């Protein structure tokens, strides 16, 4: 069974290819068209045609510079590139290079600071599940600066079992940069 977001992305790519193919066959490229104004408009496009769909993405690092933020679609079925709103937890990421400074990649949290995912661009300020990149002593008690498998550094709650993590789960992280949590191995994650 295929992943629904992948299917949506494939459908979107097929639509984009169809749009590109139809543009190559427009009346402007038809030498037999007798109407010199056909297909012309003030902005260079057909005023009756819909705007092109937003570019699909899975992380912000794949978006163009004019729309650098990969945001989830309203229906939750995928994501698209959009202008950067400059607010935490708005842009999807895989690692910190996907985020515009001063943001780094960390886990989205709920109102109780419990990680819910996905990975999003967060401030590098040492708060719960925000970044601690370059300064592992930023994290306040009871959080520890941990590093995940993608090299993201963020402040996470150290745990011994998932019962301590609310709706999250207790999982292994690299604690080697944790200043106050030496010897830790697990933290609440997704």
């Amino acid at each position: 069974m295929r992943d629904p977001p992948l299917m949506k992305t494939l459908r979107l790519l097929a639509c984009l290819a169809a749009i590109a193919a139809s543009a190559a066959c427009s009346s402007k490229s038809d030498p037999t068209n007798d109407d010199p104004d056909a297909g012309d408009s003030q902005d260079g496009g057909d005023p009756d045609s819909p705007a092109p769909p937003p570019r699909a993405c899975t992380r912000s690092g794949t978006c163009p510079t004019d729309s650098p933020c990969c945001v989830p679609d309203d229906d939750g079925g995928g994501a698209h590139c959009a202008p950067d709103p400059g607010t935490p937890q708005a842009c999807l990421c895989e690692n910190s290079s996907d985020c515009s400074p001063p943001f780094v990649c960390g886990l989205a949290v709920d109102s109780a600071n419990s990680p819910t995912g996905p990975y999003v661009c967060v401030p590098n300020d040492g708060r719960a599940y925000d970044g601690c990149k370059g300064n592992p002593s930023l994290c306040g008690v009871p959080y520890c600066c941990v590093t995940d498998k993608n090299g993201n550094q963020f402040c996470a709650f150290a745990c011994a079992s998932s019962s301590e993590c609310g709706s999250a789960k207790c999982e292994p992280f690299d604690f080697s940069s944790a200043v106050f949590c030496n010897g830790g191995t697990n933290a609440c994650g997704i």
Side-chain angles (χ1 to χ4, degrees), residues 50-187:
R55 181 175 172 175
C57 58
T58 56
R59 59 187 181 88
S60 296
T62 62
C63 292
T65 55
D66 63 338
S67 296
C69 184
C70 183
V71 296
D73 292 337
D74 291 337
D75 64 6
H80 65 277
C81 296
D84 189 346
T87 56
Q89 298 196 39
C91 302
L92 299 173
C93 59
E94 189 173 283
N95 54 53
S96 290
S97 65
D98 292 327
C99 302
S100 300
F103 296 106
V104 295
C105 195
L107 288 171
V109 296
D110 61 18
S111 60
N113 287 330
S114 199
T116 59
Y119 277 87
V120 292
C121 297
V122 297
N124 193 31
D125 62 8
R127 293 185 177 162
Y129 290 89
D130 283 358
C132 54
K133 184 177 180 180
N135 190 354
S137 62
L138 272 176
C139 303
V141 175
Y143 297 95
C144 302
C145 186
V146 300
T147 305
D148 71 3
K149 64 182 186 233
N150 290 329
N152 299 312
Q153 289 184 309
F154 51 88
C155 301
F157 183 77
C159 58
S161 73
S162 292
S163 63
E164 300 173 73
C165 298
S167 60
K169 62 184 177 183
C170 190
E171 60 184 21
F173 284 98
D174 178 357
F175 278 73
S176 62
S177 64
V179 175
F180 302 111
C181 301
N182 293 336
T185 57
N186 293 326

Side-chain angles (χ1 to χ4, degrees), residues 15-30 38-39 44-46 49 52:
C15 289
L16 289 172
I19 289 169
S22 69
C25 300
S26 72
S27 61
K28 282 191 161 194
S29 64
D30 183 359
D46 182 355
S49 66

Side-chain angles (χ1 to χ4, degrees), residues 28-58:
K28 282 191 161 194
S29 64
D30 183 359
T32 63
N33 186 357
D34 293 332
D35 184 359
D37 295 327
D40 289 343
S41 72
Q42 289 277 26
D43 63 2
D46 182 355
D48 296 325
S49 66
R55 181 175 172 175
C57 58
T58 56

